[in-house]
Amino acid sequence: MANPIPTLDAQTQLTGVIGFPVRHSLSPAMQNAAFQALGLNIVYLAFEVAPDHLPHAIEGMRGLCLLGLNATIPHKQALLPIVKQLTDSARRIGAVNTLFWEGDKLMGDNTDAYGFMTALQQAGFDPAGARVLVLGAGGSARAVVYALQQANATLFMANRSREKAEAFREEWGLDGVYDFSESGLQSLMPTLDLVVQCTSLGMQPNKELIPPVPLGALPAHAWVYDLVYRPEQTRFLQAAEARGLMTLGGLDMLIYQGAAAFERWTGQTAPIDIMRGAVRTALEG
Ligand code: NAP
């Protein structure tokens, strides 16, 4: 088997992901495979950074001239006041998942919205003007709503706690919000083009769980997109497929958000198929 780590020498540049915990991350496998495929002398590591140490980690990144970083839970929001220069997506979503240099300025970006939208469009769904129900009101829902608003979609949200969905409506100007038990959902479903599942329901180890929405009431042309990628095919997607609906899992979003970071750091087009292969292998391992 080929060594996944490129030859390390005095020219090697360093990237990585900061998180707490971080040892479950698929990004090192995905990014190192991409660097290696393009013959780039860059290595990507996982850094377990405790919340108290986040400012020091960013200072260390500056001091050591790291090429870039990804950030995951719990650092995505905490980076906002630390990284002064933010892209529009990072500012609006309120979370940073990618750090890169623009000259000597450290930029905080959020590539989740790009990853979400690119995966959807590559799969063949046209979001322009679509009627979409977003399930969940957490961090990933913010990236999804941001991306869909750019495409002029009409947006509805259903969430376990109604207060969070109401707060979302106020901040983002959604067209309607529901909690999962509301009968209004039943009459909304036949009018939709897309349902995006942004809760943690169905994610390992709770694979049996499924959001309580009446999938049976969706029209035949509707798509169901589940952001969960562990497992790749959730129970929610299985139920949608059984109804003959078009489905999309979260793996491609993960890959395209990583591809955007790769392109920020290297200026080169990311090798998507190599990255997908590496993530699948890591998921199976
Ligand atoms: P989060 O900020 O913690 O939000 C979790 C959401 O799930 C909240 O809306 C919460 O509802 C809901 N929820 C949790 N447990 C529930 C339950 N038992 N019943 C009903 N609702 C429940 O998480 P997140 O960052 O948005 O991530 C959500 C999922 O998306 C995760 O599975 C994550 O792996 C996946 N994701 C995938 C990608 C990708 O690249 N494919 C990227 C980001 C996230 P309340 O508001 O009522 O608490």
Side-chain angles (χ1 to χ4, degrees):
M1 204 178 100
N3 186 348
I5 301 176
T7 305
L8 304 179
D9 58 22
Q11 305 294 321
T12 304
Q13 291 181 287
L14 182 59
T15 58
V17 56
I18 52 173
F20 193 76
V22 78
R23 297 295 166 213
H24 63 284
S25 175
L26 298 170
S27 293
M30 175 168 75
Q31 298 288 0
N32 284 320
F35 294 141
Q36 196 176 40
L38 269 60
L40 298 170
N41 192 355
I42 305 172
V43 70
Y44 186 107
L45 299 177
F47 300 101
E48 199 153 75
V49 174
D52 285 356
H53 290 163
L54 183 62
H56 309 304
I58 301 309
E59 278 312 301
M61 179 196 179
R62 283 181 198 280
L64 295 172
C65 302
L66 265 58
L67 184 61
L69 281 177
N70 284 135
T72 186
I73 292 168
H75 301 317
K76 287 176 158 193
Q77 287 85 21
L79 279 170
L80 288 174
I82 297 175
V83 183
K84 302 281 182 309
Q85 315 275 348
L86 300 171
T87 61
D88 183 62
S89 61
R91 191 177 312 106
R92 288 280 286 123
I93 295 166
V96 169
N97 78 339
T98 301
L99 296 167
F100 67 100
W101 296 101
E102 213 170 70
D104 59 358
K105 272 191 309 192
L106 182 61
M107 299 291 299
D109 195 6
N110 189 309
T111 63
D112 279 339
Y114 168 86
F116 163 79
M117 187 52 85
T118 306
L120 185 60
Q121 289 173 325
Q122 290 291 323
F125 184 90
D126 178 7
R131 288 174 62 86
V132 185
L133 174 64
V134 176
L135 307 179
S140 61
R142 296 182 67 84
V144 165
V145 165
Y146 172 82
L148 288 166
Q149 281 195 336
Q150 309 272 306
N152 291 322
T154 300
L155 288 169
F156 305 90
M157 177 173 281
N159 193 47
R160 173 175 59 179
S161 96
R162 194 180 168 105
E163 297 82 35
K164 278 200 201 160
E166 286 291 356
F168 231 99
R169 164 151 65 186
E170 237 166 70
E171 181 180 353
W172 295 86
L174 304 181
D175 292 89
V177 296
Y178 304 83
D179 63 49
F180 285 139
S181 61
E182 268 178 52
S183 56
L185 266 183
Q186 186 73 38
S187 48
L188 177 73
M189 298 303 269
T191 72
L192 297 173
D193 304 302
L194 172 67
V195 174
V196 186
Q197 201 304 98
C198 303
T199 78
S200 44
L201 290 168
M203 187 173 71
Q204 260 170 19
N206 300 311
K207 311 194 276 195
E208 311 303 318
L209 299 180
I210 185 163
V213 290
L215 277 185
L218 283 172
H221 76 270
W223 285 55
V224 176
Y225 187 171
D226 195 334
L227 263 50
V228 171
Y229 54 83
R230 275 185 225 254
E232 201 173 334
Q233 178 80 336
T234 60
R235 289 288 158 89
F236 193 56
L237 290 186
Q238 285 170 9
E241 236 173 56
R243 265 229 46 218
L245 303 174
M246 294 292 288
T247 62
L248 180 60
L251 203 65
D252 275 5
M253 173 175 170
L254 177 77
I255 291 159
Y256 283 112
Q257 64 77 32
F262 178 97
E263 290 172 12
R264 294 276 198 220
W265 299 329
T266 67
Q268 301 204 32
T269 303
I272 295 295
D273 290 342
I274 298 278
M275 293 168 91
R276 186 180 289 110
V279 168
R280 283 224 165 97
T281 304
L283 272 174
E284 284 159 13

